[in-house]
Amino acid sequence: MISSKMKVVLPSSLENFFQESGYCNPTFFEDRSSARIKLRCEATMIIEQGLASISRVESNYVVLIKDISRRGVSILSHEQIWPEELIYVHFQNRELRAKVVRCRRLGPSCYECGAQIFYFKKIDSNFGE
C-alpha cells in the first residue's frame, strides 16, 4: 500500500512495478559482484550528508525501493539525489546507509538512484521491551 506522502509518480514503463518479484536478470554488459533481487516496497529516506552546492527544501523523503543486493540498493525518488550524497533508508524493520553513485530521470517525478551500501542492519522489533 502506498502512503499519502508518496510523491514518486511511476512512468508508464513501470506500470507493472508492484507485480514484479524475484531475481533481476543481468544484461550482457553488466559487471556485478552480487545478484539483485526485486524488492518492491515503500521506505523512508533521509539525506544524511548532501552536497554543499545543493540546497534542499526537505531532508526526509518517502521513496520506493526497486531492488537490492549485498552491496547496493536502487530507489525511486521524486527528487534527484546526487552522486556522493550519503543517505539513510529505513524499510521493513531494516535500515541501511549508502552512498549514491548514480541517478537518472525516468519521468517528471521519478528518479532512479543507485547507491553503494556501507551499513545494513535488521532492527529487532523486541529491542527494549
Side-chain angles (χ1 to χ4, degrees), residues 45-49 73 75 81 85-89 96-100 115 118:
M45 180 185 77
I46 297 171
I47 297 178
E48 289 190 310
Q49 183 178 338
V73 64
I75 62 167
I81 311 299
E85 290 190 292
L86 301 179
I87 59 173
Y88 165 83
V89 181
L96 65 83
R97 287 180 165 77
K99 179 172 76 169
V100 176
F118 60 84

Side-chain angles (χ1 to χ4, degrees), residues 56-104:
R56 296 189 183 276
V57 175
E58 49 189 321
S59 60
N60 296 329
Y61 297 82
V62 178
V63 297
L64 292 172
I65 295 184
K66 185 176 178 209
D67 57 61
I68 193 164
S69 72
R70 298 182 107 195
R71 297 185 179 191
V73 64
S74 177
I75 62 167
L76 299 177
S77 172
H78 70 280
E79 188 174 300
Q80 186 168 7
I81 311 299
W82 296 90
E84 299 299 317
E85 290 190 292
L86 301 179
I87 59 173
Y88 165 83
V89 181
H90 182 266
F91 64 101
Q92 298 179 346
N93 289 333
R94 289 163 176 77
E95 63 184 32
L96 65 83
R97 287 180 165 77
K99 179 172 76 169
V100 176
V101 294
R102 65 169 183 79
C103 189
R104 68 180 178 141

Side-chain angles (χ1 to χ4, degrees), residues 23-53:
Y23 285 97
C24 297
N25 293 326
T27 63
F28 179 76
F29 297 104
E30 285 184 351
D31 183 27
R32 296 187 181 271
S33 57
S34 302
R36 293 178 298 149
I37 298 175
K38 296 175 187 173
L39 177 66
R40 311 304 204 211
C41 69
E42 190 174 297
T44 56
M45 180 185 77
I46 297 171
I47 297 178
E48 289 190 310
Q49 183 178 338
L51 300 176
S53 59

